[in-house]
DNA sequence: CGGCCGATTATCT
DNA sequence: GATAATCGGCCGG
């Protein structure tokens, strides 16, 4: 299976967000390998995008978004949660794709152990902070290279997604963001139940 | 299933 | 000092 190249992440963020659907996030922990297919993504791009963390310019937290594509941007929010993004776009242009949901294909039982009290629920991997808990992704991995098999996690090709199967919507959680950024349709989902890779 | 609300702290003004 | 790219528990229908 092919790992996604740095050039995969270089084009405009909206197209990368759509093409990441169906790709396979691989996490290596000790001797365990966890895998999940990406089923929801969101694009954030540029300082004029008032929903993007770079909207007030470069800071220590968002600096990685200004660098080369294909690296992980992992940040902390709401006092308790880590969220995983892929840096996308050309160097100097701050942009990222938020990974919002996974469908487990490998190591499902271990992922459930990482999600205390959620094992018997139906919805336990369908949120940006749920998947980082399941895969044990925290700020210590900020800046990891997504294009290297030697990284603790990386993204490989998964299942091919037909364009008409992608559902577009507005981005989640931007409650205090002005229009048009609050409603711009840069959230993408696909139903991947039953797939494997 | 859907809506409401409290938790909890890094980050920036 | 205010805010946050969220979650999970609790409640009502």
């Amino acid at each position: 299976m092919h790992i996604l190249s740095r050039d995969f992440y270089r084009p405009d963020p909206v197209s990368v967000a759509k093409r990441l659907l169906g790709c396979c996030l691989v996490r290596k922990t000790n001797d365990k390998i966890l895998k999940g297919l990406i089923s929801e993504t969101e694009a954030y791009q540029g300082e004029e995008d008032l929903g993007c963390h770079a909207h007030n310019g470069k800071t220590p937290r968002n600096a990685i978004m200004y660098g080369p594509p294909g690296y992980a941007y992992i940040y902390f929010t709401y006092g308790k949660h880590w969220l995983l993004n892929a840096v996308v776009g050309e160097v100097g242009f701050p942009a990222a794709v938020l990974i919002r949901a996974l469908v487990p294909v490998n190591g499902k039982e271990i992922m459930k152990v990482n999600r205390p009290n959620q094992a018997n629920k139906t919805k336990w991997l369908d949120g940006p902070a749920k998947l980082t808990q399941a895969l044990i992704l925290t700020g210590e991995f900020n800046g990891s290279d997504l294009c290297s098999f030697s990284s603790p996690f990386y993204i490989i090709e998964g299942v091919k997604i037909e364009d008409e199967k992608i559902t577009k919507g507005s981005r989640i959680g931007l409650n205090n963001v002005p229009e048009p950024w609050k409603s711009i349709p840069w959230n993408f989902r696909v139903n991947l139940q039953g797939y494997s890779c």
Side-chain angles (χ1 to χ4, degrees), chain A residues 5 7 13-14 28 31 35 38 40-42 55 57 61-62 67 95 108 117 125 127 133 139 149 164 171 182 189 193:
Chain A
S5 70
D7 284 339
V14 167
K28 296 186 294 186
D31 54 337
K35 293 184 184 177
I38 297 169
E40 182 178 356
T41 60
E42 245 163 42
H55 75 91
R61 176 171 76 155
N62 66 28
K108 183 174 179 177
N117 306 320
L125 206 53
Q133 287 172 32
F149 283 118
E164 63 266 22
R171 297 175 293 181
K182 181 173 180 168
R189 313 176 193 234
Q193 295 303 324

Side-chain angles (χ1 to χ4, degrees), chain A residues 53-54 58-75 85-96 141-145:
Chain A
H53 283 172
K58 193 172 184 176
T59 68
R61 176 171 76 155
N62 66 28
I64 187 131
M65 295 175 75
Y66 288 78
Y71 290 85
Y73 169 43
I74 301 183
Y75 72 91
N85 300 251
V87 174
V88 301
E90 296 287 357
V91 174
F93 180 66
F141 299 113
N142 188 38
S144 292
D145 188 357

Side-chain angles (χ1 to χ4, degrees), chain A residues 16-193:
Chain A
V16 175
K18 287 195 268 193
R19 287 187 296 119
L20 275 171
L21 294 174
C23 293
C24 187
L25 178 59
V26 182
R27 169 76 165 112
K28 296 186 294 186
T29 66
N30 301 323
D31 54 337
K32 312 283 176 34
I33 293 191
L34 311 176
K35 293 184 184 177
L37 298 177
I38 297 169
S39 59
E40 182 178 356
T41 60
E42 245 163 42
Y44 292 86
Q45 56 172 317
E47 295 181 346
E48 61 282 353
D49 173 4
L50 297 183
C52 179
H53 283 172
H55 75 91
N56 281 327
K58 193 172 184 176
T59 68
R61 176 171 76 155
N62 66 28
I64 187 131
M65 295 175 75
Y66 288 78
Y71 290 85
Y73 169 43
I74 301 183
Y75 72 91
F76 188 74
T77 191
Y78 287 104
K80 31 178 86 160
H81 303 299
W82 295 99
L83 273 60
L84 170 66
N85 300 251
V87 174
V88 301
E90 296 287 357
V91 174
F93 180 66
V97 171
L98 173 66
I99 312 297
R100 289 195 56 91
L102 293 180
V103 173
V105 292
N106 203 297
K108 183 174 179 177
E109 293 311 311
I110 297 171
M111 292 186 210
K112 288 203 169 189
V113 171
N114 296 333
R115 299 269 300 124
N117 306 320
Q118 303 302 313
N120 47 358
K121 306 263 174 63
T122 53
K123 293 179 175 291
W124 61 283
L125 206 53
D126 61 335
K130 296 179 185 180
L131 69 92
T132 57
Q133 287 172 32
L135 300 189
I136 317 177
L137 296 176
T138 64
E140 75 176 287
F141 299 113
N142 188 38
S144 292
D145 188 357
L146 296 173
C147 305
S148 168
F149 283 118
S150 58
S151 292
F153 57 99
Y154 49 85
I155 304 177
I156 62 177
E157 292 174 359
V159 302
K160 187 168 175 68
I161 303 299
E162 310 292 332
D163 210 56
E164 63 266 22
K165 291 187 177 175
I166 298 176
T167 302
K168 287 194 290 187
S170 54
R171 297 175 293 181
I172 310 298
L174 306 188
N175 301 310
N176 294 325
V177 172
E179 299 292 359
W181 310 107
K182 181 173 180 168
S183 301
I184 198 165
W186 285 350
N187 171 291
F188 305 99
R189 313 176 193 234
V190 66
N191 185 353
L192 289 177
Q193 295 303 324

